[in-house]
Amino acid sequence: MQTSRRIYWPSVNLIGPGCVKEIGAEIGKLGLGKALLVTDKVLNEVGVVKRVTDVLDASGIVYAIYDGVQPNPTTLNVEEGLAAYQAEKCDFLISVGGGSPQDAAKAIGLLATNGGSIADYEGIGKSANKSAPIIAINTTAGTASEVTINYVITDERRKIKMVMVDPNSLAWIAVNDPELMVQKPAGLTAATGLDALTHAIESYVAKGSFELSDTLSLKAISLIASALPKAVENGLDVEARSRMAWGSYIAGLSFSNAGLGIVHSLAHQLGSEYDLPHGVANAILLPYVMEFNLPSAPEKFADIAAAMGMDTRNAASVDEAARLALQAVRELSAKVGIPPLKATSFRLEDAGRLAEQALKDVCTGGNPREVTVEQLKDIYARAYYEQRG
């Protein structure tokens, strides 16, 4: 049965080598005043932020900088950023970085126009007003927060990641310049790339998937599977970086409109509890969740296997072809150096509590197969012991 759809993505999207140089002209069309540039200290220190501010300076755009965002952005980061935004009398935001600065900027932008604390907006569509304008400049091929209606903020007191899905947080302009992504460390490239692959795979099988999201997901899977090893091997490979930028961007368009699943629900707990990088957590858990979800959509998992370059033509059954997708993900993760769960700070004795939190996560509702706390706990255990039956 056909249903109506509302599709969300930024009204202006710049993508490709050198496209960051176009932001001055685009911002000039909007009639805005002063920007708060939201980023982290590392990007500021290594000169990535300067490549953006050089463009702003040449265009006469006034700005202040807040570079206190942590790898898993916290409520304190949001409060500090909002204070800077208000003290500097800004009227728009420029986010520079991967998912953490992007998510922090979304939270700051919504509080600037809606008030309250960021915990008030946990969940789906809790804000009344659109965010302050955001120009989202992405520097990693991973989270795709620059194009989505999703953002995640860690509540330090409760030790949970608050997931927000809110159309009012959507950026005005999304920028994906692969030249800003070169020279990123191999480990970061691998983790963010597997995050993007997780977005594409989860959105392809999610309850909310539909014709457009399916098309986007499969293209993203194909791009990422072929380009990620090259981007990890050679951080200066602009062609591989460009393909990864497109893959991440396209996957973001898909999951922002179709939803995700329990890979993210489980991974969010690892990030809030142990500060494990989000992409690493997703990469570790992805094949185990795929195995759990496989009975719900074997034909789709067979499509994923084919998109990742596996030869499914001689498979004896759809299920056999579908299981090739698990093999492809495991081989890719091993190739780019993703560690096993046992090599992280994860404690198996925490699995029950984390599973209870994961069940309440916003992403759980999109999973194609219903799940219980015990089943979520078992996925953690299987990943910990590397059981691959």
Side-chain angles (χ1 to χ4, degrees):
M1 179 180 176
Q2 295 294 315
T3 59
S4 63
R5 290 276 178 184
R6 184 181 292 272
I7 310 296
Y8 294 103
W9 53 55
S11 57
V12 177
N13 297 267
L14 307 176
I15 187 164
C19 70
V20 72
K21 297 171 186 173
E22 301 174 32
I23 62 170
E26 292 296 332
I27 294 171
K29 299 173 186 176
L30 300 176
L32 299 170
K34 184 176 183 179
L36 180 69
L37 195 153
V38 179
T39 188
D40 62 51
K41 285 184 170 55
V42 172
L43 289 175
N44 205 2
E45 290 169 358
V46 301
V48 173
V49 171
K50 186 176 186 302
R51 295 179 67 178
V52 175
T53 57
D54 283 350
V55 177
L56 301 179
D57 291 338
S59 303
I61 295 165
V62 183
Y63 58 88
I65 296 176
Y66 170 68
D67 67 356
V69 180
Q70 296 172 234
N72 286 303
T74 65
T75 55
L76 178 60
N77 296 159
V78 175
E79 291 163 2
E80 290 176 346
L82 179 63
Y85 182 89
Q86 293 170 336
E88 293 288 342
K89 296 182 170 53
C90 299
D91 63 351
F92 73 109
L93 296 130
I94 300 174
S95 49
V96 179
S100 298
Q102 307 298 339
D103 284 2
K106 288 179 176 181
I108 294 165
L110 275 178
L111 290 186
T113 56
N114 287 272
S117 69
I118 198 59
D120 299 334
Y121 303 99
E122 182 179 5
I124 300 174
K126 294 291 183 67
S127 68
N129 304 312
K130 288 187 179 298
S131 163
I134 300 173
I135 287 75
I137 302 172
N138 182 33
T139 64
T140 62
T143 68
S145 183
E146 78 283 355
V147 300
T148 72
I149 61 173
N150 306 56
Y151 64 104
V152 181
I153 302 295
T154 298
D155 184 327
E156 311 97 312
R157 182 180 60 81
R158 293 185 290 161
K159 293 189 77 173
I160 64 165
K161 281 196 171 188
M162 300 182 292
V163 182
M164 292 76 156
V165 182
D166 193 337
N168 283 336
S169 72
L170 192 65
W172 286 27
I173 300 173
V175 182
N176 275 280
D177 187 337
E179 291 183 353
L180 297 179
M181 303 174 187
V182 299
Q183 296 183 317
K184 292 294 190 298
L188 177 63
T189 300
T192 55
L194 264 297
D195 187 18
L197 181 67
T198 304
H199 294 154
I201 289 175
E202 285 214 286
S203 60
Y204 188 58
V205 300
K207 286 179 182 176
S209 64
F210 59 107
E211 291 88 343
L212 177 60
S213 69
D214 283 353
T215 301
L216 294 168
S217 294
L218 286 179
K219 183 60 177 179
I221 291 166
S222 176
L223 284 167
I224 295 164
S226 63
L228 182 57
K230 296 176 183 176
V232 171
E233 181 181 355
N234 178 9
L236 296 174
D237 187 336
V238 176
E239 176 60 28
R241 293 289 188 183
S242 295
R243 290 173 66 81
M244 283 303 302
W246 275 107
S248 172
Y249 169 77
I250 293 169
L253 296 180
S254 179
F255 91 79
S256 185
N257 290 284
L260 293 166
I262 59 173
V263 179
H264 275 74
S265 304
L266 292 163
H268 287 151
Q269 314 317 314
L270 301 183
S272 59
E273 184 73 19
Y274 313 109
D275 208 28
L276 190 66
H278 179 62
V280 173
N282 274 340
I284 291 171
L285 294 165
L286 178 57
Y288 301 98
V289 172
M290 290 172 66
E291 189 169 30
F292 174 80
N293 283 332
L294 193 149
S296 67
E299 297 86 357
K300 282 200 159 187
F301 281 101
D303 293 341
I304 291 168
M308 293 190 71
M310 303 297 282
D311 186 355
T312 60
R313 294 169 297 178
N314 297 321
S317 65
V318 172
D319 282 353
E320 183 178 305
R323 295 193 73 83
L324 291 174
L326 279 65
Q327 179 184 334
V329 168
R330 286 181 171 130
E331 289 177 354
L332 178 60
S333 292
K335 190 170 188 177
V336 299
I338 298 298
L341 185 57
K342 208 164 190 174
T344 73
S345 53
F346 172 78
R347 297 184 299 270
L348 190 59
E349 57 265 32
D350 296 336
R353 175 172 53 84
L354 300 182
E356 290 177 0
Q357 293 172 188
L359 188 67
K360 302 172 187 175
D361 191 285
V362 168
C363 296
T364 299
N367 200 66
R369 183 179 171 190
E370 297 301 314
V371 67
T372 66
V373 168
E374 283 304 311
Q375 288 168 326
L376 291 169
K377 182 180 176 181
D378 182 63
I379 291 170
Y380 279 133
R382 287 177 65 81
Y384 184 77
Y385 288 117
E386 292 192 289
Q387 297 172 357
R388 298 183 178 182

